[in-house]
Amino acid sequence: MGSIYLPRAAGALASAMSNGIPLLVLATTRSAALTGAAFALEWLPRLAAVGWAGSVVDRRGARKIFHLACVAKALVLAVGAVLLHLHPSGTVTSVTVMVLAATTGFLTQFAFIAAEAAGAAAGQRAGRGAHRVQAVLLGIDQTANLAGPALVGLILLAGPPPLLAVITLLSLVAALLALRTPPSPEPPVPGPRGWPGAGLLTGWRTIRSLPALTWLVAGLTLSNLPTGLLQAAGPVIVVQHFGQSTTAVGFVWSAAAAAMLLSVTLCRFALDRLGLWPVGAACAALASLGCLAAAQAPTYRSYLVLVAVFMAGEGGMTVVLRTLRSRLIPPEAFGSALSASVLILVLPFPVAGVLTALTPPDALGHVITICAALQGLGLFCTFARLRADPALRT
């Protein structure tokens, strides 16, 4: 609890609230295009950091990297809070929030890779109970995602500087708690050095040597495109299409996180009895149908419910992915393999931000529908291919 779960909880809540930067951009600039651009700008540095983060975690250890990333993030957010207090509107405000989107995304990626590496080590120590550890870790993440968007919407009523001050405090708490995490054991083979692509190349080779993991990562990558669109376009859809407040945006994702948390809890028991493939296939069908319906939602309430259904399916598939990843990837290559898989999985998110910025608000529903159809086709092919794979049948 003290060495793994508490640091994960504080870091996850800080990250969940940092993901509200696009909502902060909408509140300060009132621009749908800048909101989509901020979402893309938040994810592009994360993509750039992935290869470097994995190799650094393999060499320096998860505890040290998580601690340093949280401290740096707190410093950046503190500077941003001061600037927004001194310049509540205008060009300085717009530049500040866009820079915050980029820098927090970069630092969040380092913290995420380090936290995942520590969690995977805990899962490997648990042996056959690895899926239970991963379910607890995912439950922590989703509890943070449940509280984070609602807190962002509420605190934002007091203004941007108080919001950034709260995230700064949470980042400092996570940095202090990280000091209690056990140090990473020395890997039998030193982590890859040199240019960031070296770690990605090692990780990509590891993933390719595990066909079940390759197929699952490919299917979830397609699934992340509509996920990213719903996140990037969510403020625009809720505020401009449904005529709700910025607080209502936070409630959508809090409801989605609650549904995802319930799904993770149920999947923990279902995996004990049914195994990985049946649970993953059922969650894939739920996610596909939920996303298709959410794209056509006529009211705010129906949109909120359908997004929650969609994210419940995503939660189940994430438990399956994390369990399979912790079982199959060797400890000495976990950071690099995790970085490579994360890079592939998050590629759709900046694409979603660009699509949101370029698409007229009235046409966003049609774009989400097309992406949801691609998601359903990709997940069907993935789980059809993995139907008899022993890695998912164990």
Side-chain angles (χ1 to χ4, degrees):
M1 176 63 71
S3 61
I4 299 295
Y5 294 150
L6 285 180
R8 179 68 166 248
L13 184 56
S15 297
M17 295 184 71
S18 297
N19 290 339
I21 295 294
L23 181 58
L24 177 65
V25 173
L26 182 64
T28 54
T29 65
R30 303 296 178 183
S31 170
L34 284 179
T35 301
F39 189 85
L41 196 59
E42 180 182 6
W43 281 97
L44 286 173
R46 296 184 72 163
L47 295 178
V50 166
W52 188 17
S55 60
V56 168
V57 167
D58 280 344
R59 294 200 312 268
R60 303 299 182 186
R63 178 176 69 177
K64 181 183 293 185
I65 300 305
F66 185 81
H67 172 77
L68 293 176
C70 289
V71 170
K73 187 175 178 180
L75 292 174
V76 169
L77 289 168
V79 172
V82 173
L83 289 175
L84 290 182
H85 177 73
L86 297 176
H87 304 277
S89 62
T91 303
V92 175
T93 299
S94 300
V95 172
T96 299
V97 293
M98 299 301 279
V99 171
L100 281 176
T103 52
T104 56
F106 181 82
L107 294 170
T108 295
Q109 191 62 59
F110 276 84
F112 171 76
I113 295 294
E116 282 290 281
Q124 288 171 342
R125 289 193 296 269
R128 293 177 62 87
H131 66 279
R132 297 188 182 94
V133 174
Q134 295 304 318
V136 172
L137 292 174
L138 187 55
I140 290 172
D141 291 344
Q142 294 315 309
T143 301
N145 289 336
L146 171 63
L151 287 173
V152 168
L154 292 174
I155 300 173
L156 197 54
L157 296 175
L163 173 63
L164 297 181
V166 171
I167 305 176
T168 299
L169 180 61
L170 285 171
S171 298
L172 289 175
V173 171
L176 292 175
L177 289 173
L179 298 177
R180 305 178 63 184
T181 302
S184 302
E186 290 294 328
V189 180
R193 296 178 180 271
W195 63 292
L200 289 177
L201 184 60
T202 300
W204 173 241
R205 288 172 177 168
T206 303
I207 293 173
R208 286 191 61 187
S209 67
L210 305 169
L213 189 60
T214 302
W215 274 93
L216 194 56
V217 167
L220 286 177
T221 301
L222 280 177
S223 183
N224 277 346
L225 182 57
T227 303
L229 273 172
L230 288 174
Q231 291 181 4
V236 180
I237 293 173
V238 173
V239 175
Q240 297 187 0
H241 181 67
F242 292 125
Q244 302 292 321
S245 66
T246 55
T247 305
V249 180
F251 286 150
V252 169
W253 291 105
S254 292
M260 202 169 180
L261 182 59
L262 177 61
S263 171
V264 169
T265 304
L266 294 176
C267 286
R268 176 180 176 181
F269 298 103
L271 286 170
D272 283 333
R273 293 163 176 77
L274 302 176
L276 291 174
W277 190 90
V279 174
C283 290
L286 183 66
S288 300
L289 294 175
C291 189
L292 279 171
Q296 307 298 324
T299 64
Y300 169 73
R301 289 185 179 180
S302 61
Y303 177 80
L304 183 149
V305 171
L306 291 170
V307 169
V309 170
F310 166 64
M311 293 307 294
E314 286 282 303
M317 289 192 292
T318 303
V319 174
V320 172
L321 174 64
R322 289 190 177 189
T323 303
L324 192 65
R325 198 164 57 191
S326 66
R327 283 182 180 178
L328 298 182
I329 299 176
E332 63 272 14
F334 189 86
S336 299
L338 176 62
S339 292
S341 66
V342 168
L343 175 62
I344 298 169
L345 287 168
V346 303
L347 280 174
F349 286 96
V351 175
V354 172
L355 285 175
T356 302
L358 298 179
T359 304
D362 293 339
L364 284 173
H366 301 298
V367 175
I368 295 174
T369 300
I370 295 172
C371 293
L374 291 175
Q375 172 201 31
L377 179 62
L379 290 176
F380 175 81
C381 294
T382 295
F383 283 95
R385 173 63 177 79
L386 296 176
R387 181 180 179 86
D389 195 294
L392 274 80
R393 287 292 184 179
T394 303

